[in-house]
Amino acid sequence: DVKVTQSSRYLVKRTGEKVFLECVQDMDHENMFWYRQDPGLGLRLIYFSYDVKMKEKGDIPEGYSVSREKKERFSLILESASTNQTSMYLCAASGVDQPQHFGDGTRLSIL
Amino acid sequence: EDQVTQSPEALRLQEGESSSLNCSYTVSGLRGLFWYRQDPGKGPEFLFTLYSAGEEKEKERLKATLTKKESFLHITAPKPEDSATYLCAVQQAGSYQLTFGKGTKLSVIP
């Protein structure tokens, strides 16, 4: 089974800080994804990457950027954190024509 | 635009009381329909992929079916450990993205 590991389960940051969320997968999968999950809104795709150094915007990329320097690692960056970015952030990975497998999430609070 | 609607939003069942969860979808060219289970405080756990109308997949007490407009997740004789939120998602042909429904929260009472 694919193992997707997110570096923090809980994180508290201040408004205006630059925030890094890290995700690592152990199955050499090409595709990696960042979602946020909010009550009543479900999972929404922020960014995804289909190869090293390649990235594509999802449905809600504003206020975020990503980095994929190595195949196993995909980072989500909040350039200047705001309170409306308080959420559960989920990372996923998949191989070609394979289902996405998720990490356990990072619950981020911006104060 | 792809759309996924799950119903009901919440479902309470007595242990052993079988039922079905519904996922209605609109997509231009279905690549696959996915079912996930999510426990509180955890990420979604993959259950099934369905690719074409008429296809069925089973795992323990769960069976997923697919038509051209909807999918059902049938739960037979559920147990309390089946309590979770069940998520449905669709993938359009030629796309990497999944579009998720908002989920059905299932509670199975002993």
Side-chain angles (χ1 to χ4, degrees):
Chain A
D1 276 352
V2 178
K3 178 76 171 175
V4 178
T5 303
Q6 295 185 230
S7 55
S8 304
R9 292 299 307 277
Y10 302 94
L11 208 53
V12 179
K13 296 292 182 180
R14 297 281 180 191
T15 304
E17 281 192 68
K18 191 169 186 176
V19 181
F20 294 85
L21 303 184
E22 305 287 344
C23 175
V24 176
Q25 53 106 352
D26 68 351
M27 288 298 291
D28 201 37
H29 282 341
E30 290 78 10
N31 307 319
M32 297 188 75
F33 306 81
W34 275 107
Y35 295 85
R36 63 178 285 176
Q37 186 174 32
D38 300 289
L41 296 177
L43 273 87
R44 293 179 292 165
L45 182 65
I46 305 171
Y47 268 97
F48 67 97
S49 168
Y50 53 88
D51 202 350
V52 175
K53 297 190 186 294
M54 306 303 290
K55 60 186 179 183
E56 293 281 345
K57 293 180 180 180
D59 298 320
I60 50 164
E62 296 79 18
Y64 303 94
S65 62
V66 290
S67 172
R68 193 166 181 202
E69 297 297 318
K70 294 184 178 181
K71 194 172 186 179
E72 68 270 18
R73 187 179 297 271
F74 192 35
S75 302
L76 180 69
I77 304 155
L78 286 65
E79 298 290 343
S80 177
S82 64
T83 55
N84 63 10
Q85 293 178 310
T86 291
S87 186
M88 168 72 96
Y89 289 88
L90 290 160
C91 175
S94 71
V96 175
D97 292 332
Q98 297 292 316
Q100 294 181 25
H101 292 272
F102 286 81
D104 278 338
T106 295
R107 188 165 293 281
L108 175 64
S109 296
I110 307 295
L111 304 179
Chain B
E1 182 180 320
D2 300 346
Q3 289 192 331
V4 179
T5 304
Q6 292 188 244
S7 61
E9 290 185 15
L11 181 63
R12 284 169 63 93
L13 298 174
Q14 292 292 320
E15 185 172 0
E17 179 187 3
S18 302
S19 189
S20 297
L21 313 183
N22 178 262
C23 172
S24 298
Y25 65 92
T26 304
V27 64
S28 298
L30 180 70
R31 171 72 180 88
L33 185 140
F34 302 82
W35 282 99
Y36 288 84
R37 169 195 170 121
Q38 187 173 24
D39 293 301
K42 307 205 85 175
E45 175 189 350
F46 170 71
L47 293 173
F48 304 110
T49 308
L50 301 167
Y51 294 103
S52 57
E55 189 175 0
E56 297 183 354
K57 293 269 179 79
E58 283 190 68
K59 181 180 179 179
E60 296 181 359
R61 294 176 293 281
L62 301 177
K63 183 169 83 171
T65 62
L66 181 65
T67 73
K68 288 188 176 180
K69 293 185 177 181
E70 57 192 350
S71 177
F72 292 93
L73 185 65
H74 306 278
I75 303 176
T76 302
K79 298 182 177 181
E81 53 262 41
D82 295 322
S83 296
T85 296
Y86 290 85
L87 301 171
C88 169
V90 297
Q91 183 178 21
Q92 187 180 29
S95 172
Y96 292 96
Q97 293 192 219
L98 295 182
T99 300
F100 281 84
K102 294 179 182 179
T104 294
K105 184 175 181 180
L106 174 67
S107 301
V108 182
I109 312 303

